[in-house]
């Protein structure tokens, strides 16, 4: 079976008068100047030729038979040979396997790289058949969202209560409402139990239940990335949303305004809190449930994936008797987990630890926690002033958002308290600038700030499918010019994708930290109105390690990939 080149396809289209020569040359030129690309996809997007006509031409010219995927049932054994990540990347579907021969459905028969990669991962001789690009995409979505892990199949198979959850209502004294023992439980109750228990099993940090025009989509955020998991029939929408609201003790009759709640479940031998946010959308209420597993807090700073140098800086900052420590970074960068790990470390009977949060995420025994209530005027600043009358030793402020909170937090740290808080800035030096821009006097910032650090989360390469790879020579040369430590390594790695990591190539995350410990020189620069660039210039002279440099070190150790480093930092 002949594998056609792009030129073969182009000549066949031109010969049959389906595309003009000038249009074809322009298209090939655009692909080349754009750094390469998918020729077949470019043909469709240009509107120059219909997909149906192209498939017919390809089949006639190459002798490769077409297949109608709507009439074919995908074979689980064949699908298991090619990871989801590879199938979606190249838009291919393994159709069937006979001995060492694998039939592969493709939309672009000229994509030699796709065939070679499938050969490598499947260890089979690959023979291709043709199908429309859109048909392949639809079949992949159907299989990976509704396959063996589909809700209906799991409900039918869940005879032994594997996906059972016990729900503890937050406002009813955590009374155990065990819906598991009722074998005739409504399908919707089981459906929600499956969604929640599967999320916990797959280590999801968030569950998104999103009403669409004709369906109810369920997605999990795993290691920072959203994944489509279930696509439920639209008829279940109201019942599923009502079930989650009942668990969260929210008003099921209110669909016009946002609502917030929480509940706790016990499943697979552990208790997990969920924070629930309900948002009205054009197709109904969207629900996001944030999983808050307290087991993540007891691991300690040492287990968060920080390198020895920034970790030592953090521990040194915690030895200072009073002052403020700031952790910066975007939403979802692990700031709260880091601060709670610090609080757990400081949580001893001799210390009075008080927090003011919006909302309280993790409920920690031995720590006094207060939630912000904007509706009654209880904000961070007023809550912080009240906390000071409780004779605290350590204070955590969920976030510094305005001048009043910043000023109160800074002055609290100067009166003998350790204050921990977060800011939304891109790097550690930006925290100093942000405080000053909020109206805090530079001399107060210089006097009170112990350390500012910036944090991000990198996905960790799955150890079960970790594979050595090579990177282009020009990319390596650029890396070595900027980061000399890259010269010392001769191996780069990535995850191939396996069942353990959901075919993503990544399993778990590790924190990367940039720490700025205040010293006399930096205090002098801040007090005298030195610019952010001057502070950075001084830090560079002291071998300060940036977020990117910390992440590159993790890549050199084989913990993460270059792609992940560039994406996150």
């Amino acid at each position: 079976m002949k594998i056609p080149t792009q030129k073969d396809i182009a000549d066949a289209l031109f010969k049959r008068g389906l595309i003009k020569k000038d249009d074809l040359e322009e298209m090939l030129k655009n692909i080349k100047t754009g750094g390469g690309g998918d020729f077949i996809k470019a043909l469709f997007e240009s509107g120059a030729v219909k997909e149906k006509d192209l498939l017919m031409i390809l089949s006639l010219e190459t002798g490769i038979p077409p297949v109608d995927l709507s009439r074919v049932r995908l074979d689980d054994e064949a699908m298991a040979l090619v990871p989801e990540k590879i199938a979606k990347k190249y838009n291919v579907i393994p159709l069937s396997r006979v001995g060492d021969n694998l039939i592969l459905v493709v939309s672009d028969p000229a994509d030699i790289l796709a065939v070679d990669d499938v050969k490598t991962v499947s260890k089979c001789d690959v023979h291709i058949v043709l199908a429309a690009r859109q048909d392949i995409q639809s079949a992949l979505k159907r299989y990976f969202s509704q396959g063996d892990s589909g809700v209906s199949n799991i409900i039918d198979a869940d005879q032994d209560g594997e996906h059972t959850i016990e729900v503890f209502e937050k406002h009813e004294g955590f009374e155990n409402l065990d819906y598991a023992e009722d074998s005739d439980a409504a399908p919707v109750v089981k459906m929600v139990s499956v969604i929640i228990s599967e999320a916990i099993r797959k280590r999801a940090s968030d569950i998104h239940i999103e009403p669409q025009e004709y369906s109810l989509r369920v997605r999990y955020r795993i290691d920072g990335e959203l994944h489509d998991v279930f696509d439920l029939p639209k008829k279940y929408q109201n019942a599923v949303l009502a079930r989650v609201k009942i668990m969260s003790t929210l008003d099921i009759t209110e669909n016009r305004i946002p609502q917030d709640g929480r509940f706790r479940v016990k499943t697979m031998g552990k208790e997990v809190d969920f924070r629930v946010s309900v948002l009205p959308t054009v197709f109904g209420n969207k629900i996001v449930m944030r999983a808050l597993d307290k087991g993540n807090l007891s691991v300690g700073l040492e287990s968060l994936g920080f390198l020895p140098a920034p970790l030592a800086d953090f521990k040194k900052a915690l030895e200072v008797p009073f002052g403020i420590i700031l952790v910066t970074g975007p939403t979802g960068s692990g700031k709260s987990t880091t601060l709670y790990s610090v609080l757990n470390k400081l949580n001893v009977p001799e210390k009075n630890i008080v927090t003011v949060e919006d909302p309280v995420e993790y409920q920690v025994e031995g720590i006094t926690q207060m939630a912000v209530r904007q509706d009654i005027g209880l904000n961070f600043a007023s809550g912080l002033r009240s906390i000071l009358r409780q004779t605290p030793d350590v204070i955590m402020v969920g976030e510094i958002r305005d001048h009043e909170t910043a000023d109160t937090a800074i002055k609290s740290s100067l009166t003998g308290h350790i204050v921990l808080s977060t800011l939304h800035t891109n790097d550690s030096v930006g925290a100093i600038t942000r405080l000053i821009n909020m109206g805090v006097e530079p001399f107060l910032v210089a006097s009170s700030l112990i350390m500012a650090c910036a944090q991000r989360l990198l996905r960790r390469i799955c150890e079960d499918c970790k594979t050595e790879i090579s990177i282009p020579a020009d990319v390596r040369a650029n890396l070595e010019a900027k980061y000399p430590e890259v010269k010392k390594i001769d191996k780069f790695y990535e995850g191939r994708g396996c069942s353990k990591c959901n075919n993503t190539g990544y399993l778990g995350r590790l924190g990367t930290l940039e720490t700025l410990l205040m010293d006399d020189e930096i205090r002098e620069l801040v007090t005298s109105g030195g610019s952010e660039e001057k502070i950075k210039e001084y830090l560079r002279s002291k071998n300060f390690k940036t977020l990117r440099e910390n992440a590159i070190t993790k890549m050199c150790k084989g913990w993460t990939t270059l792609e992940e480093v560039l994406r996150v930092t």
Side-chain angles (χ1 to χ4, degrees):
M1 188 181 290
K2 179 191 173 189
I3 303 293
T5 62
Q6 288 187 356
K7 186 177 184 306
D8 293 333
I9 298 170
D11 288 345
L13 291 169
F14 179 61
K15 188 168 67 176
R16 284 173 168 77
L18 291 172
I19 190 169
K20 294 178 183 176
K21 189 173 182 180
D22 291 346
D23 292 342
L24 191 59
E25 287 176 353
E26 181 68 22
M27 192 181 305
L28 291 170
K29 181 182 172 185
N30 289 340
I31 290 174
K32 190 174 180 182
T33 55
D38 188 329
F39 176 63
I40 301 293
K41 184 180 177 184
L43 278 171
F44 298 146
E45 289 178 347
S46 71
V49 61
K50 292 180 181 177
E51 191 166 16
K52 193 167 151 188
D53 294 336
L54 181 59
L55 281 175
M56 180 189 70
I57 297 297
L58 288 172
S59 184
L60 289 171
E61 285 293 317
T62 63
I64 301 172
V67 64
D68 184 355
L69 284 174
S70 65
R71 298 174 178 270
V72 174
R73 187 179 185 280
L74 298 182
D75 179 49
D76 291 337
E77 184 185 352
M79 291 296 292
L81 294 173
V82 180
E84 180 182 354
K85 180 181 176 184
I86 298 289
K88 288 183 174 178
K89 178 180 178 181
Y90 294 117
N91 202 49
V92 298
I93 288 183
L95 193 60
S96 63
R97 176 188 181 180
V98 181
D100 290 333
N101 296 298
L102 179 67
I103 307 299
L104 186 72
V105 186
V106 303
S107 59
D108 182 0
D111 192 348
I112 305 296
L113 190 59
V115 175
D116 285 346
D117 274 10
V118 170
K119 274 184 184 177
T120 302
V121 298
S122 67
K123 298 181 174 58
C124 291
D125 292 329
V126 174
H127 306 273
I128 61 175
V129 294
L130 294 173
R133 164 176 288 275
Q134 189 60 47
D135 290 349
I136 294 176
Q137 288 175 344
S138 299
L140 284 171
K141 184 176 180 182
R142 267 197 320 271
Y143 182 84
F144 287 114
S145 66
Q146 297 278 38
D148 288 341
S149 61
V151 171
S152 58
N153 290 342
I154 292 177
I155 289 174
D156 292 340
D158 188 27
Q159 301 303 322
D160 57 358
E162 180 189 352
H163 291 87
T164 291
I165 62 171
E166 297 176 10
V167 184
F168 300 84
E169 299 291 358
K170 169 72 171 64
H171 300 297
E172 300 294 333
F174 293 110
E175 178 189 353
N176 182 358
L177 302 180
D178 186 0
Y179 296 95
E181 295 178 1
D182 181 5
S183 59
D184 299 322
V188 169
V189 173
K190 275 195 173 185
M191 202 177 286
V192 174
S193 295
V194 168
I195 291 170
I196 291 172
S197 59
E198 279 288 287
I200 294 171
R201 187 177 67 81
K202 291 183 175 180
R203 305 175 299 102
S205 60
D206 301 271
I207 304 170
H208 291 241
I209 301 178
E210 304 168 323
Q212 307 293 300
E213 188 171 4
Y214 301 111
S215 65
L216 185 66
R217 180 170 68 168
V218 179
R219 295 193 289 173
Y220 294 161
R221 188 177 295 280
I222 303 171
D223 294 333
E225 297 275 305
L226 278 170
H227 300 269
D228 284 345
V229 186
F230 305 127
D231 205 8
L232 306 178
K234 187 75 171 176
K235 65 180 180 180
Y236 289 122
Q237 176 174 309
N238 290 341
V240 168
L241 298 180
R243 169 65 182 149
V244 175
K245 283 187 176 183
I246 289 168
M247 292 164 62
S248 312
T249 61
L250 297 176
D251 183 357
I252 63 172
T253 64
E254 180 55 78
N255 295 305
R256 301 162 301 168
I257 60 173
Q259 293 176 276
D260 293 299
R262 64 190 301 147
F263 63 88
R264 179 183 297 173
V265 302
K266 183 177 181 182
T267 184
M268 291 178 282
K270 64 178 180 179
E271 290 183 10
V272 180
D273 285 348
F274 280 88
R275 193 179 78 210
V276 179
S277 172
V278 182
L279 188 71
T281 72
V282 290
F283 297 124
N285 281 180
K286 172 180 174 178
I287 291 182
V288 175
M289 295 182 275
R290 164 66 60 91
L292 305 169
D293 187 353
K294 284 190 279 193
N296 296 335
L297 305 181
S298 56
V299 294
L301 282 171
E302 294 80 3
S303 303
L304 296 179
F306 301 143
L307 293 171
L311 186 59
D313 285 346
F314 215 122
K315 289 181 175 178
K316 187 176 177 182
L318 290 173
E319 292 171 0
V320 178
F322 61 89
I324 187 167
I325 296 172
L326 295 174
V327 182
T328 75
T331 301
S333 60
K335 302 186 299 294
S336 294
T337 301
T338 298
L339 288 183
Y340 273 110
S341 296
V342 171
L343 290 181
N344 266 338
K345 182 182 176 68
L346 299 174
N347 189 11
V348 293
E350 296 79 26
K351 289 188 184 293
N352 177 22
I353 301 175
V354 189
T355 74
V356 53
E357 305 167 62
D358 182 21
V360 173
E361 292 195 10
Y362 298 94
Q363 293 164 349
V364 183
E365 189 176 350
I367 293 177
T368 304
Q369 296 170 275
M370 179 172 68
V372 164
R373 291 279 305 277
Q374 297 286 359
D375 55 330
I376 58 172
L378 178 58
N379 55 25
F380 280 119
S382 60
L384 187 51
R385 285 194 295 270
S386 300
I387 283 174
L388 291 173
R389 293 190 282 274
Q390 296 280 319
T391 66
D393 300 296
V394 180
I395 300 168
M396 187 183 89
V397 182
E399 184 186 342
I400 293 177
R401 297 174 180 169
D402 51 41
H403 165 72
E404 191 180 8
T405 307
D407 190 57
T408 310
I410 292 284
K411 288 174 179 173
S412 302
S413 70
L414 290 171
T415 56
H417 305 93
I418 288 284
V419 178
L420 306 169
S421 191
T422 68
L423 267 179
H424 285 287
T425 63
N426 290 327
D427 55 22
S428 53
V429 179
I432 296 173
T433 312
R434 177 65 57 83
L435 288 173
I436 293 171
N437 288 343
M438 280 182 176
V440 180
E441 293 291 345
F443 74 89
L444 287 176
V445 175
S447 305
S448 62
L449 189 61
I450 305 170
M451 181 182 74
C453 55
Q455 182 173 320
R456 299 291 187 278
L457 292 176
L458 297 164
R459 289 184 291 172
R460 188 191 291 269
I461 297 173
C462 173
E463 292 295 331
D464 279 34
C465 60
K466 190 174 182 178
T467 309
E468 186 180 334
I469 60 165
S470 58
I471 63 172
D474 57 334
V475 175
R476 175 159 193 143
N478 284 335
L479 280 173
E480 289 177 351
K482 292 180 181 177
Y483 313 104
E485 66 183 301
V486 177
K487 295 177 183 177
K488 300 174 186 175
I489 65 166
D490 52 7
K491 293 180 181 178
F492 293 86
Y493 297 94
E494 72 173 12
R496 191 176 63 248
C498 64
S499 57
K500 187 172 181 181
C501 63
N502 265 349
N503 295 307
T504 61
Y506 298 99
L507 185 66
R509 289 189 286 179
L510 59 156
T512 185
L513 198 66
E514 168 189 300
T515 52
L516 186 161
L517 265 177
M518 296 291 282
D519 61 19
D520 291 341
E521 184 68 29
I522 298 174
R523 289 189 179 94
E524 179 59 35
L525 284 169
V526 173
T527 306
S528 60
S531 66
E532 194 171 309
E533 190 50 49
K534 280 188 177 179
I535 297 173
K536 287 182 178 178
E537 189 179 323
Y538 166 72
L539 289 171
R540 280 192 287 268
S541 72
K542 303 288 284 185
N543 295 319
F544 174 75
K545 292 281 187 183
T546 64
L547 269 172
R548 171 66 62 85
E549 287 164 342
N550 274 282
I552 288 287
T553 300
K554 288 179 168 62
M555 181 201 72
C556 292
K557 290 178 179 289
W559 297 349
T560 191
T561 62
L562 175 60
E563 178 187 24
E564 186 69 1
V565 168
L566 298 177
R567 181 183 74 87
V568 172
T569 64

